[in-house]
Amino acid sequence: MPSRLRGLVVTAVLATVACLGLTSAPAMADAYTPITGEGSSWAANAIDDWRASVVNAGIKVNFAAAGSVAGLTGFAQGNSDDFAASDIPYGVKDTSPDPPGRAFAYIPDVAGGTALMYNLTVAGKRFTNLKLSGPTIAGIFAGSITRWNDPKIAAENPGVALPPLKVTPVVRSDGSGSTAQFSLWMAKQFGSVWKCGQISFFTQCGSYKATTHQAKSGDNGVAGFVAQAGNAGSIGYVEYSYALQSGFPVAKVLNKAGFYTLPTASNVAVALLKAKITMTPGPTYLTQNLDGVYVDPDPRNYPISSYSYFVVPTQLQNGFTNPKGKTLSAFVRYALCDGQQKAPTLGYSPLPINLVQAGLNQVKRIPGAETAAIDIKKCNNPTFSADGTNTLAKNALYPDLCDKSTAKAGCVYGTPSNGSKSASTGGQGDQNSVGAKPTGTGSTTTSTGSATTGGAGTPVVGGAAPGATTAGAASGAGAGAAAGAGAGAGTGSGGQVSILNPDGKTSCDPDTGQCTQLAASPAELPLDHVSAVSRWAVWLMIGLLLCLILAPPALVLSSRKAKS
């Protein structure tokens, strides 16, 4: 090869390499470092869904649902945890560890209701319309109510032939935020029955007896025990998501307005309007006081409502780095915004705009956070509205008069306590339009569901009188999914309810609008969250295009210099 031609080729190659070098820099800058956290099993179903959703964006988040106390302790001790998730803050007396020596902040992650999941049959059919008051619930878990036909339970479920079956309370064996929130509600409202106060380890309560209670680790452990066919008569406290996933009913809980309500997204949203949030900057910023929730006179309120927290570092300590902060901030930002869209279908309630805005401000404090990308205007959250009110709470329907504490035996569902349509039905129904499109005026709905094993299942029965329309039909006809409540249209006395399938993978209950298969959809992240590989490819194409444009003039100039 002539020396002049060889020089031209070398020049072109060097120009191309230089262009490629320029395009590779963003790929290195946009790579995400894997992070690790542990804590709340109450919030774990939501966190796991978010983790699966951001994988395609190059964000890897490892999370162990070890319980709130374990999460707080691990973060404080500076182990491998880059963040924690907890239903309770640090420093709650006899309940949670003292605040750590490292700098940290709380960020609300998701709201929800602590549900009373139960396994009970009446006349050979699964019972789905159990109603319980606070004192009765406290009596069950304190061990003073031991049979399902106890007069206290019978009085709250008139006309139902409850069996003389042993009540088996199922509790958490580990240090649990679920236990802390549940016991706090009982201690504040029903202290004459519940003597143990607020605790995170239920087994440390004097009322706990191994011969009466069953202690299981994690919300999944409690739900798994209750859902077993051989454990009829059991009842446990879990986040609502676990009951939906298992396909088992939860008790309607009596609120201060005198109505029995379910822990649905709308009822939780209404309840948390009364939560008092600490807005004073400092170590308790964004923590919650739920006293107002417990006594809220709104008929839609679900009284055992709360929200969980991320605990994140705000300084480079304990091995936390800027690259980890970049990943953590991107993940939390997704959780606060797009991740809230699927909260109702997972059994949670999306955070309102005030908590999201405050949470985003906390995200900016994480070292390494890309603060320029944090913008509430880019949040796609179902609670947001133009006037700043909580859309779910504002549009929540009112319960049926048959769910009022004074309702008589044989009450037929179909008369709303306020408005033209009832939210509640004679089973697990909630006709609020979260994830569903109502197309008729019927106030009761019949639906199909799937057994937890996907088999033929057994019929379920509500608490209405014989001949009344009830919501909650066969628990069988499943497709085999462990979490499966059946999909399809439910028919009511005046029309149909059609269900939106959020991601093509979930199985949605046409009566409640709740979806129970926890299959995550790929995240649709803003441009600043596109994966490093994708952005590298874009920069490479731009670089090659520039090279094609600039290389010929470079060759010409080199040729002219060689001739001269």
Side-chain angles (χ1 to χ4, degrees):
M1 179 183 294
S3 60
R4 185 175 67 182
L5 179 58
R6 186 164 53 246
L8 292 176
V9 171
V10 171
T11 302
V13 171
L14 290 175
T16 302
V17 170
C19 290
L20 291 177
L22 288 174
T23 62
S24 66
M28 296 297 293
D30 291 331
Y32 286 106
T33 299
I35 57 174
T36 298
E38 68 174 316
S40 171
S41 68
W42 188 92
N45 282 341
I47 294 172
D48 285 345
D49 188 85
W50 299 333
R51 293 193 305 126
S53 295
V54 299
V55 166
N56 288 348
I59 299 174
K60 183 178 180 181
V61 180
N62 300 304
F63 182 76
S68 294
V69 172
L72 293 175
T73 302
F75 183 83
Q77 290 177 345
N79 58 12
S80 60
D81 292 343
D82 300 306
F83 70 96
S86 177
D87 314 319
I88 48 176
Y90 282 105
V92 180
K93 183 180 179 182
D94 300 326
T95 302
S96 65
D98 291 332
R102 63 191 299 189
F104 70 96
Y106 298 110
I107 299 178
D109 51 24
V110 71
T114 296
L116 283 305
M117 174 180 165
Y118 64 95
N119 183 340
L120 187 63
T121 58
V122 174
K125 299 177 181 179
R126 183 175 294 169
F127 185 51
T128 65
N129 198 30
L130 179 66
K131 301 173 183 178
L132 296 174
S133 68
T136 300
I137 293 169
I140 288 173
F141 284 89
S144 60
I145 295 178
T146 60
R147 296 284 169 180
W148 280 106
N149 64 344
D150 185 282
K152 294 183 176 65
I153 301 177
E156 293 165 10
N157 296 272
V160 180
L162 293 165
L165 185 67
K166 177 185 175 183
V167 176
T168 302
V170 189
V171 303
R172 291 283 293 273
S173 61
D174 53 331
S176 161
S178 298
T179 300
Q181 294 290 16
F182 182 51
S183 61
L184 178 65
W185 170 68
M186 292 190 292
K188 291 232 174 183
Q189 295 297 307
F190 319 110
S192 60
V193 182
W194 178 256
K195 305 292 187 180
C196 290
Q198 185 182 21
I199 51 173
S200 59
F201 286 90
F202 196 102
T203 53
Q204 294 179 358
C205 172
S207 298
Y208 172 77
K209 294 181 178 62
T211 55
T212 301
H213 299 77
Q214 283 285 334
K216 300 297 174 181
S217 178
D219 275 28
N220 55 340
V222 173
F225 183 91
V226 174
Q228 291 180 30
N231 293 331
S234 59
I235 181 170
Y237 55 92
V238 295
E239 207 289 325
Y240 188 35
S241 177
Y242 290 86
L244 289 179
Q245 183 181 7
S246 301
F248 271 72
V250 301
K252 294 177 179 177
V253 178
L254 186 67
N255 62 27
K256 283 295 182 180
F259 283 88
Y260 294 94
T261 60
L262 291 168
T264 59
S266 296
N267 291 342
V268 170
V270 168
L272 290 179
L273 293 177
K274 297 297 185 180
K276 186 176 181 181
I277 314 301
T278 302
M279 298 303 293
T280 304
T284 60
Y285 180 58
L286 297 187
T287 58
Q288 59 192 321
N289 181 316
L290 301 173
D291 290 354
V293 172
Y294 303 153
V295 297
D296 179 17
D298 193 306
R300 301 166 295 178
N301 165 61
Y302 182 75
I304 327 177
S305 297
S306 60
Y307 62 84
S308 185
Y309 312 96
F310 283 129
V311 182
V312 301
T314 56
Q315 290 184 13
L316 297 176
Q317 299 170 298
N318 300 84
F320 192 76
T321 64
N322 280 321
K324 287 184 174 182
K326 177 182 176 181
T327 304
L328 179 58
S329 63
F331 175 64
V332 175
R333 179 155 58 99
Y334 172 78
L336 288 172
C337 294
D338 291 70
Q340 298 292 314
Q341 293 181 52
K342 291 190 289 180
T345 65
L346 292 171
Y348 297 89
S349 187
L351 295 173
I353 191 169
N354 62 316
L355 288 181
V356 173
Q357 179 64 76
L360 289 176
N361 291 337
Q362 295 284 69
V363 173
K364 294 178 181 179
R365 300 177 59 197
I366 299 174
E370 294 181 324
T371 57
I374 300 173
D375 185 355
I376 189 111
K377 295 179 181 178
K378 296 180 181 178
C379 267
N380 188 7
N381 182 309
T383 68
F384 291 9
S385 63
D387 61 2
T389 58
N390 186 326
T391 301
L392 290 184
K394 182 178 181 180
N395 298 331
L397 298 175
Y398 284 78
D400 196 276
L401 285 177
C402 284
D403 279 329
K404 192 171 178 61
S405 59
T406 55
K408 304 298 182 182
C411 182
V412 178
Y413 282 82
T415 305
S417 58
N418 184 29
S420 60
K421 184 179 179 183
S422 303
S424 57
T425 66
Q428 295 291 290
D430 180 348
Q431 300 187 92
N432 285 286
S433 58
V434 180
K437 286 184 176 180
T439 57
T441 58
S443 60
T444 58
T445 305
T446 302
S447 62
T448 58
S450 62
T452 56
T453 59
T458 56
V460 297
V461 60
T469 305
T470 61
S475 62
T491 58
S493 59
Q496 292 184 332
V497 176
S498 59
I499 299 300
L500 296 176
N501 190 331
D503 56 16
K505 299 178 182 178
T506 34
S507 179
C508 302
D509 187 319
D511 184 51
T512 66
Q514 303 290 339
C515 303
T516 56
Q517 183 177 340
L518 304 181
S521 303
E524 295 182 4
L525 299 178
L527 192 59
D528 54 281
H529 270 183
V530 177
S531 71
V533 174
S534 300
R535 297 183 67 173
W536 181 87
V538 172
W539 281 104
L540 176 61
M541 293 177 65
I542 294 173
L544 290 174
L545 181 61
L546 289 174
C547 287
L548 289 174
I549 295 172
L550 297 176
L555 291 173
V556 172
L557 290 174
S558 298
S559 177
R560 288 177 180 176
K561 288 181 180 180
K563 289 180 180 180
S564 62

XYZ file of all heavy atoms in Angstrom, residues 259 430 552 563:
35
model
N -70.195 1.961 60.348
C -70.247 1.140 59.148
C -69.072 0.161 59.127
O -67.962 0.499 59.547
C -70.200 2.009 57.888
C -71.500 2.684 57.566
C -71.803 3.922 58.117
C -72.436 2.087 56.721
C -73.010 4.555 57.831
C -73.646 2.712 56.436
C -73.931 3.954 56.988
N -66.530 -4.008 46.356
C -66.298 -2.570 46.497
C -66.424 -1.999 45.098
O -65.577 -2.209 44.252
C -64.905 -2.300 47.070
C -64.622 -0.810 47.226
O -65.399 0.000 46.684
O -63.624 -0.458 47.865
N -15.005 12.407 5.260
C -14.585 12.784 3.895
C -13.797 14.094 3.848
O -12.744 14.157 3.197
C -15.906 12.868 3.137
C -16.806 11.926 3.853
C -16.438 12.074 5.296
N -0.060 16.358 -0.967
C 0.363 16.832 -2.286
C 1.259 18.060 -2.180
O 2.172 18.265 -2.972
C -0.857 17.162 -3.126
C -1.629 15.930 -3.562
C -2.847 16.330 -4.393
C -3.633 15.093 -4.837
N -4.807 15.456 -5.633
